Amino acid sequence: MSLTNFLEQQNLNQDLIIAGKHFKSRLMLGTGKYKTLNLAKYSIHASDTAIVTVAIRRLQDIKIQTSLNLIHALNWQDLWLLPNTAGCTTAEEAIRMASLGRELSKKIGQTNNNFIKLEVIPDSQYLFPDPIGTLKAAEYLVRKNFAVLPYIGQDPILAKQLEEIGCSTVMPLGSPIGSGQGLYNIETLQIIIENAKIPVVIDAGIGTPSDALKAMELGADALLINSAIARSDNPVKMAFAMKLAVESGRIAYLSGRMSQKSKAQASSPVQGIVH
């Protein structure tokens, strides 16, 4: 039996399903902070991602050419656009940006793309999301038939409320945006994952492939990574490393780790040994 057939039998190649759409990769990529357009393109290719997120507000700034060119440079037959409302400080702003994001998806040929990554962040220092504004905007956008992927703090109650109003995922932070600090409050993340009946995508704070591996081992359904790749010394290599980490972590989670014990246990059995 080939390895591919074995993995298929073990159900280790499960698709990520968001709002009824299937994705082969569980790694989503952000498109900001790359030094050049080519680095962004090659990193996206190396990561084997299926979903890339672009800030709608950034696209409105004609001075930032990389994002503008990236929209035209990528093959949208192979990638799914996730517009995001980054930079919005109120629910009302985020709702306006979401409408523009849906129009952008149509312009690149994804006429059935209603995905929106919802960010409402009034805090300019620590970039923590506003839970009340996020819930308010999410309720409105769900009613308008958006597939809402809300970025939130590590709040299990808010995560469940967003699920109950019809959001397609919840996206709790691992640690503050762009900090590269890895996973804070792992126990709280586990509560969110265990209680969720929709995909949980850990977003923000991933710094290394080992962070990505740990997040997937916890049972996260996917990760969204930007700074850890774009700000590394070699973004293309780091994108490939993150791809492997996400895949390995997912398989490890599905495999089930051994139980931890307080005392050592010999690797070789003592029964049947000839003295």
Short mmCIF file of all heavy atoms in Angstrom, two decimals, residues 4 16 21-22 33 40 47 54 70 76 81 89 101 105 113 122-124 154 174 187 207 218 227 254 258:
data_model
loop_
_atom_site.label_atom_id
_atom_site.label_comp_id
_atom_site.label_asym_id
_atom_site.label_seq_id
_atom_site.Cartn_x
_atom_site.Cartn_y
_atom_site.Cartn_z
N THR A 4 0.31 7.46 0.26
CA THR A 4 -0.87 8.28 -0.03
C THR A 4 -2.15 7.53 0.29
O THR A 4 -3.06 8.06 0.94
CB THR A 4 -0.88 8.72 -1.52
OG1 THR A 4 0.31 9.46 -1.78
CG2 THR A 4 -2.10 9.57 -1.81
N LEU A 16 -10.11 21.36 5.04
CA LEU A 16 -10.66 22.41 5.89
C LEU A 16 -11.94 22.89 5.24
O LEU A 16 -11.94 23.23 4.05
CB LEU A 16 -9.65 23.56 6.02
CG LEU A 16 -10.15 24.84 6.70
CD1 LEU A 16 -10.45 24.59 8.16
CD2 LEU A 16 -9.11 25.95 6.53
N LYS A 21 -17.31 25.55 1.89
CA LYS A 21 -16.27 25.49 0.86
C LYS A 21 -15.07 24.70 1.37
O LYS A 21 -14.64 24.89 2.51
CB LYS A 21 -15.84 26.90 0.45
CG LYS A 21 -14.89 26.91 -0.73
CD LYS A 21 -14.70 28.27 -1.32
CE LYS A 21 -13.71 28.25 -2.49
NZ LYS A 21 -14.19 27.41 -3.61
N HIS A 22 -14.53 23.84 0.52
CA HIS A 22 -13.43 22.96 0.91
C HIS A 22 -12.08 23.57 0.51
O HIS A 22 -11.93 24.11 -0.59
CB HIS A 22 -13.58 21.60 0.22
CG HIS A 22 -14.71 20.79 0.77
ND1 HIS A 22 -14.52 19.57 1.40
CD2 HIS A 22 -16.05 21.02 0.80
CE1 HIS A 22 -15.69 19.08 1.77
NE2 HIS A 22 -16.63 19.94 1.42
N LYS A 33 3.51 43.50 4.70
CA LYS A 33 4.85 43.54 5.33
C LYS A 33 5.96 42.90 4.52
O LYS A 33 7.12 42.88 4.96
CB LYS A 33 4.80 42.92 6.74
CG LYS A 33 3.78 43.57 7.66
CD LYS A 33 3.69 42.87 8.99
CE LYS A 33 2.60 43.49 9.86
NZ LYS A 33 2.42 42.77 11.13
N ALA A 40 6.47 38.17 -1.77
CA ALA A 40 5.10 37.81 -1.38
C ALA A 40 4.59 36.68 -2.26
O ALA A 40 4.05 35.68 -1.78
CB ALA A 40 4.19 39.02 -1.48
N SER A 47 4.17 28.19 0.51
CA SER A 47 3.32 27.78 1.64
C SER A 47 2.24 26.79 1.23
O SER A 47 1.66 26.12 2.08
CB SER A 47 2.65 29.01 2.26
OG SER A 47 1.61 29.49 1.41
N VAL A 54 -6.24 40.01 2.36
CA VAL A 54 -5.76 41.32 1.94
C VAL A 54 -6.59 42.38 2.66
O VAL A 54 -7.82 42.28 2.71
CB VAL A 54 -5.90 41.50 0.41
CG1 VAL A 54 -5.52 42.92 0.00
CG2 VAL A 54 -5.03 40.49 -0.32
N LEU A 70 -0.25 42.97 -6.13
CA LEU A 70 -0.44 41.58 -5.74
C LEU A 70 -1.80 41.06 -6.18
O LEU A 70 -1.93 39.91 -6.62
CB LEU A 70 -0.28 41.44 -4.22
CG LEU A 70 -0.14 40.02 -3.67
CD1 LEU A 70 1.12 39.37 -4.20
CD2 LEU A 70 -0.13 40.03 -2.16
N TRP A 76 -6.05 33.79 -9.23
CA TRP A 76 -7.23 33.61 -8.38
C TRP A 76 -8.05 32.39 -8.76
O TRP A 76 -9.08 32.12 -8.14
CB TRP A 76 -8.06 34.89 -8.39
CG TRP A 76 -7.31 36.03 -7.78
CD1 TRP A 76 -6.76 37.09 -8.43
CD2 TRP A 76 -6.95 36.17 -6.40
NE1 TRP A 76 -6.09 37.91 -7.54
CE2 TRP A 76 -6.21 37.36 -6.29
CE3 TRP A 76 -7.19 35.42 -5.25
CZ2 TRP A 76 -5.70 37.82 -5.07
CZ3 TRP A 76 -6.70 35.87 -4.04
CH2 TRP A 76 -5.96 37.05 -3.95
N LEU A 81 -9.70 34.53 -2.08
CA LEU A 81 -9.46 35.81 -1.45
C LEU A 81 -10.26 35.93 -0.16
O LEU A 81 -11.47 35.68 -0.14
CB LEU A 81 -9.83 36.95 -2.39
CG LEU A 81 -9.71 38.37 -1.82
CD1 LEU A 81 -8.26 38.69 -1.45
CD2 LEU A 81 -10.26 39.40 -2.81
N THR A 89 -11.82 50.84 13.23
CA THR A 89 -11.87 51.02 14.68
C THR A 89 -13.28 50.92 15.25
O THR A 89 -13.45 50.86 16.46
CB THR A 89 -11.28 52.39 15.07
OG1 THR A 89 -12.05 53.43 14.43
CG2 THR A 89 -9.82 52.50 14.63
N GLY A 101 -15.07 44.84 0.27
CA GLY A 101 -14.36 43.57 0.10
C GLY A 101 -15.13 42.61 -0.78
O GLY A 101 -14.55 41.90 -1.61
N SER A 105 -13.89 40.93 -4.40
CA SER A 105 -13.94 39.51 -4.75
C SER A 105 -14.61 39.30 -6.09
O SER A 105 -14.16 38.48 -6.91
CB SER A 105 -14.69 38.73 -3.65
OG SER A 105 -13.98 38.78 -2.42
N ASN A 113 -17.97 34.61 -3.71
CA ASN A 113 -17.13 34.77 -2.51
C ASN A 113 -17.74 35.83 -1.60
O ASN A 113 -17.69 37.02 -1.90
CB ASN A 113 -15.71 35.17 -2.92
CG ASN A 113 -14.76 35.22 -1.73
OD1 ASN A 113 -15.19 35.18 -0.58
ND2 ASN A 113 -13.47 35.30 -2.01
N PRO A 122 -9.96 49.26 18.00
CA PRO A 122 -9.79 50.67 18.36
C PRO A 122 -8.51 50.93 19.15
O PRO A 122 -8.09 52.09 19.31
CB PRO A 122 -11.01 50.94 19.24
CG PRO A 122 -11.33 49.62 19.85
CD PRO A 122 -10.93 48.57 18.85
N ASP A 123 -7.87 49.87 19.64
CA ASP A 123 -6.68 49.98 20.48
C ASP A 123 -5.43 50.06 19.61
O ASP A 123 -5.01 49.06 19.03
CB ASP A 123 -6.63 48.77 21.42
CG ASP A 123 -5.31 48.62 22.15
OD1 ASP A 123 -4.62 49.64 22.32
OD2 ASP A 123 -4.96 47.49 22.54
N SER A 124 -4.83 51.24 19.50
CA SER A 124 -3.69 51.43 18.60
C SER A 124 -2.37 50.97 19.19
O SER A 124 -1.40 50.78 18.45
CB SER A 124 -3.57 52.92 18.22
OG SER A 124 -3.36 53.71 19.38
N GLN A 154 -8.83 36.10 23.34
CA GLN A 154 -9.00 34.73 23.85
C GLN A 154 -10.18 34.71 24.82
O GLN A 154 -10.03 34.63 26.04
CB GLN A 154 -7.71 34.25 24.50
CG GLN A 154 -6.57 34.11 23.52
CD GLN A 154 -5.29 33.62 24.19
OE1 GLN A 154 -5.17 33.59 25.41
NE2 GLN A 154 -4.32 33.25 23.38
N GLY A 174 -3.27 34.24 19.12
CA GLY A 174 -2.33 33.45 19.91
C GLY A 174 -1.62 34.33 20.91
O GLY A 174 -1.42 33.99 22.07
N GLU A 187 -4.43 27.18 27.86
CA GLU A 187 -5.63 26.57 28.43
C GLU A 187 -6.90 27.23 27.91
O GLU A 187 -7.90 26.57 27.63
CB GLU A 187 -5.59 26.63 29.96
CG GLU A 187 -4.48 25.81 30.60
CD GLU A 187 -3.12 26.49 30.56
OE1 GLU A 187 -3.07 27.67 30.13
OE2 GLU A 187 -2.12 25.85 30.94
N GLY A 207 5.19 32.95 15.83
CA GLY A 207 6.51 33.47 15.50
C GLY A 207 7.42 32.47 14.80
O GLY A 207 8.26 32.85 13.99
N LEU A 218 -2.88 21.42 19.43
CA LEU A 218 -3.97 21.71 20.36
C LEU A 218 -5.32 21.35 19.78
O LEU A 218 -6.30 21.19 20.51
CB LEU A 218 -3.98 23.20 20.73
CG LEU A 218 -2.87 23.72 21.62
CD1 LEU A 218 -3.03 25.23 21.80
CD2 LEU A 218 -2.89 23.02 22.97
N SER A 227 3.27 38.03 9.74
CA SER A 227 4.55 38.63 10.15
C SER A 227 5.66 37.61 10.27
O SER A 227 6.81 37.88 9.89
CB SER A 227 4.38 39.37 11.48
OG SER A 227 3.47 40.42 11.36
N LEU A 254 -4.53 14.46 15.17
CA LEU A 254 -5.43 13.37 14.81
C LEU A 254 -4.92 12.02 15.32
O LEU A 254 -5.70 11.10 15.55
CB LEU A 254 -5.61 13.32 13.29
CG LEU A 254 -6.34 14.51 12.66
CD1 LEU A 254 -6.32 14.39 11.13
CD2 LEU A 254 -7.76 14.63 13.17
N MET A 258 0.43 10.30 23.46
CA MET A 258 0.46 9.36 24.57
C MET A 258 0.09 10.10 25.86
O MET A 258 0.23 11.32 25.97
CB MET A 258 1.85 8.75 24.72
CG MET A 258 2.93 9.75 25.12
SD MET A 258 4.51 8.97 25.54
CE MET A 258 4.13 8.23 27.14
#
